[in-house]
Amino acid sequence: MVFPLLVAPAGVATARAVHDQAPEGPPSLWRPEAVAPSVVPVVGTGRPFPALGAASMTLPRMAPRPAIVSRAQWQADETKRDRYAHYAGEVRAVFVHHTDTPNGYDCADVPRTLRDLYTGQTRDRGWGDFGYNFLVDRCGTIYEGRAGGADRPVIGAHTLGFNQGTTGIAAIGTFGPGAPVPAAMERAIAALAAWKLGLGGVDPAGKVGLTSTNDNSLYAKGTSAQFDAISGHRDGFATNCPGEALFARLPAIRKLAASLQGRSPRISSSARLAAGPGSARPGGR
């Protein structure tokens, strides 16, 4: 598999508003850390192993880190955002979005589109930074969204009630019924999700429990719910995002992300029951 190069093209495009929400939850749950206005810290991808004999031990499933175009490369104006980034303990789930912007763009124009979206979310919506942690264009190029370090569990503003401990990945475009989802975009989303979830040992094809922090989500504040490790925005909030077409591709994205972590395909419980205990033996009945 070939991932896009770390080259930020230049150009211009006009973007419409993104349907998303600002951060929520008490500041006591955040881990603030100053980020210099023009410098985002470079952090290693490795994690220390727990001491031998620890009661719980989650080992990372290290998928390769895909190429990511940095904020500096797409020329984000760092004076527009908040000085502080906020962090969760780890990333346990990914929420997939679409930006609800035109699909027929030239990929060379994406940096300008990002700057327009960034201005809208910082100045017009007052979110203090990009809501999404990452964005992916139709050519499969991945862009860093919210500041704070691509390798780190940065709390974004993408899925009201479930921003903490999750990553928001936005597909640049509109993916309503019948809209084609570019294969390169699909592969890039899977590669990014596999890497981010792998840092915490999370299976992209598995389920995770998340607790809502806002009554305006689909779940009342304090309510715990089960989500796919790779979910759509609509799974946590009343919206059509990421669009019918992209939402329908999430099972394939989960499967690809799991394979990138080196996981074997899952066998459903119904398939195991149908096979029966003797089916694994030659001549079994």
Side-chain angles (χ1 to χ4, degrees):
M1 181 178 298
V2 178
F3 295 106
L5 297 175
L6 281 167
V7 177
V12 58
T14 301
R16 299 200 302 272
V18 179
H19 304 298
D20 222 326
Q21 300 79 35
E24 79 295 328
S28 61
L29 295 178
W30 300 347
R31 293 167 52 197
E33 182 170 318
V35 180
S38 60
V39 179
V40 174
V42 178
V43 184
T45 59
R47 279 175 163 245
F49 286 96
L52 292 177
S56 177
M57 186 171 179
T58 301
L59 297 179
R61 282 279 187 147
M62 301 301 290
R65 184 189 194 276
I68 301 172
V69 176
S70 71
R71 290 169 63 94
Q73 288 175 295
W74 60 262
Q75 299 178 350
D77 182 350
E78 301 295 357
T79 66
K80 292 181 178 180
R81 65 171 174 82
D82 290 343
R83 179 182 178 188
Y84 292 97
H86 303 284
Y87 299 89
E90 63 182 352
V91 170
R92 302 180 56 226
V94 167
F95 282 101
V96 177
H97 305 253
H98 68 172
T99 58
D100 198 21
T101 52
N103 290 343
Y105 55 86
D106 188 324
C107 290
D109 295 337
V110 168
R112 178 60 179 268
T113 298
L114 297 183
R115 293 192 291 271
D116 289 343
L117 290 170
Y118 177 53
T119 297
Q121 295 185 11
T122 52
R123 183 192 66 194
D124 302 336
R125 292 177 179 257
W127 292 352
D129 198 352
F130 236 132
Y132 309 121
N133 298 95
F134 301 94
L135 299 97
V136 179
D137 70 18
R138 66 186 186 89
C139 294
T141 303
I142 300 170
Y143 295 85
E144 179 184 15
R146 201 169 188 88
D151 304 77
R152 305 186 67 184
V154 179
I155 297 174
H158 50 83
T159 306
L160 191 66
F162 299 101
N163 287 318
Q164 298 177 25
T166 66
T167 282
I169 301 175
I172 300 174
T174 302
F175 297 97
V181 181
M185 172 181 279
E186 204 170 301
R187 289 193 299 268
I189 292 172
L192 179 57
W195 170 63
K196 288 295 290 185
L197 293 174
L199 296 175
V202 177
D203 182 352
K207 301 280 186 179
V208 297
L210 301 174
T211 300
S212 174
T213 62
N214 195 294
D215 285 330
N216 291 322
S217 75
L218 285 183
Y219 300 88
K221 182 178 179 179
T223 302
S224 295
Q226 288 288 308
F227 290 86
D228 289 304
I230 300 177
S231 287
H233 187 186
R234 66 176 61 182
D235 291 316
F237 187 75
T239 176
N240 289 324
C241 183
E244 293 295 336
L246 182 53
F247 189 77
R249 296 303 302 163
L250 293 186
I253 289 172
R254 293 181 196 114
K255 182 177 179 181
L256 177 55
S259 71
L260 291 172
Q261 285 190 2
R263 297 181 185 271
S264 300
R266 286 174 170 263
I267 301 176
S268 68
S269 57
S270 58
R272 287 195 295 268
L273 289 172
S279 61
R281 300 190 302 271
R285 300 182 185 180

